[in-house]
Amino acid sequence: MPLAHPELRPNPAGAMRFGRTDGPVAPPAPANTPATGFEPSTRRTHDARIALLDEDQQTRDLLREYLEGQGMHVISVANGQELRQLIHHEPIDAVILDAMARSEDSLALLREMAEQPGTPPVMLLSAVASDIDRIVGLELGADDYMAKPFNPRELLARLRVVLRRSNAASVRVAATPVLSFAGWVLDPTFYVVRDAAGRDVDLTSGEFKLLHALAGHAGQVVSREALLKLVHGDEAEAFDRAIDVAVSRLRAKLVRHGGGALIRTVRGEGYLFAARI
């Protein structure tokens, strides 16, 4: 679906570019511009490798031109199979995914990526802006959600937040020890959870993050708002119900492995991880 925003306009040569319609715009810095002068957060994200899946060729070209003008390296793909191959063979820092892709159920693709440890964070784009669609996208593993049409500068700002959050999470995970509780083992480095019998517990990345967040605050009541921030970061936009559904799914999997008592609901307050770490 083409972008429809006032910052998108043709230049005199007929090509499309991003720029304000109310005055001249300074050209973006070349991709090889030295990092000196960037804010620290920008230095960490301006050379990121971004995978872009949008079935609309014009949208892909416009976003690639704009983001590469900001120093990022963008690799555009036309379908889910190309995206899978790209992520498998090349280092990718983040994915921009069109939720309305026609050739494949993009939400199923999002869920598939969320279930694979080590996959890059995903920014979901959609022509649908309802609250329920945003909640579903976040529940299935999206790290952020933007509705079309959108301001490309806002997309850039949100993408940088996703990248910074992912970088910070990688540092935290690398420094986090293995957690043991009630005979269970949770390894944040390799996204592994084993029950008291030594069997692997099959969790999505979102469920793993939720369990890790609760276990990391064992013995404390964690509110729904705090869990949203711990799992999705400060930029997450969802309602309490999104966490309720996620906890319910996680608890159902724990029950199948004898861990039904690990997570308690504290009515009106949030959730408590009941095992001792």
Side-chain angles (χ1 to χ4, degrees):
M1 175 178 177
L3 300 180
H5 190 274
E7 290 201 358
L8 184 62
R9 62 183 175 86
N11 65 18
M16 300 295 290
R17 67 185 295 263
F18 291 102
R20 290 191 178 277
T21 57
D22 56 354
V25 178
N32 60 356
T33 299
T36 303
F38 282 94
E39 294 296 326
S41 60
T42 305
R43 288 202 303 269
R44 291 196 296 268
T45 62
H46 84 283
D47 58 350
R49 293 173 59 84
I50 310 298
L52 168 62
L53 192 167
D54 197 303
E55 291 190 337
D56 183 75
Q57 181 69 50
Q58 184 185 37
T59 300
R60 294 203 306 271
D61 291 344
L62 291 170
L63 278 177
R64 185 177 64 248
E65 178 185 353
Y66 180 70
L67 294 176
E68 288 189 343
Q70 305 302 316
M72 296 183 178
H73 179 61
V74 180
I75 306 171
S76 61
V77 295
N79 55 60
Q81 186 57 33
E82 290 184 10
L83 179 60
R84 291 185 187 91
Q85 293 177 356
L86 178 63
I87 293 175
H88 182 72
H89 292 99
E90 296 190 35
I92 298 297
D93 297 303
V95 174
I96 299 176
L97 175 64
D98 177 17
M100 308 303 289
R102 295 180 297 276
S103 64
E104 181 173 1
D105 183 348
S106 53
L107 294 182
L109 178 60
L110 174 62
R111 184 189 300 110
E112 177 186 324
M113 288 192 292
E115 292 174 350
Q116 300 298 320
T119 53
V122 177
M123 172 173 283
L124 196 63
L125 306 182
S126 177
V128 182
S130 70
D131 290 333
I132 188 62
D133 288 287
R134 184 167 61 250
I135 291 171
V136 169
L138 291 171
E139 283 185 349
L140 291 179
D143 293 82
D144 202 352
Y145 183 108
M146 286 197 70
K148 296 179 180 179
F150 54 81
N151 185 320
R153 296 183 181 182
E154 181 182 359
L155 181 142
L156 175 65
R158 284 174 172 265
L159 182 59
R160 283 174 171 162
V161 169
V162 168
L163 288 165
R164 289 198 300 269
R165 196 161 62 222
S166 176
N167 291 339
S170 297
V171 172
R172 288 196 301 272
V173 167
T176 303
V178 173
L179 301 181
S180 299
F181 48 89
W184 291 53
V185 174
L186 185 152
D187 187 339
T189 302
F190 296 100
Y191 273 56
V192 171
V193 177
R194 293 190 177 93
D195 64 18
R199 298 171 298 176
D200 287 342
V201 182
D202 185 19
L203 301 179
T204 68
S205 64
E207 290 164 349
F208 182 92
K209 291 175 184 177
L210 181 57
L211 179 60
H212 189 208
L214 287 166
H217 294 79
Q220 305 174 37
V221 177
V222 185
S223 70
R224 292 170 174 82
E225 294 82 1
L227 279 176
L228 280 171
K229 291 184 178 180
L230 288 169
V231 176
H232 295 294
D234 292 337
E235 300 300 315
E237 296 179 13
F239 296 127
D240 289 352
R241 181 61 181 166
I243 283 295
D244 291 336
V245 173
V247 170
S248 178
R249 291 174 177 170
L250 171 60
R251 183 182 277 144
K253 290 187 177 181
L254 298 180
V255 166
R256 291 197 291 269
H257 287 262
L262 291 175
I263 300 174
R264 296 179 185 171
T265 301
V266 181
R267 189 176 300 276
E269 297 293 332
Y271 296 97
L272 171 72
F273 193 80
R276 184 183 298 276
I277 299 296

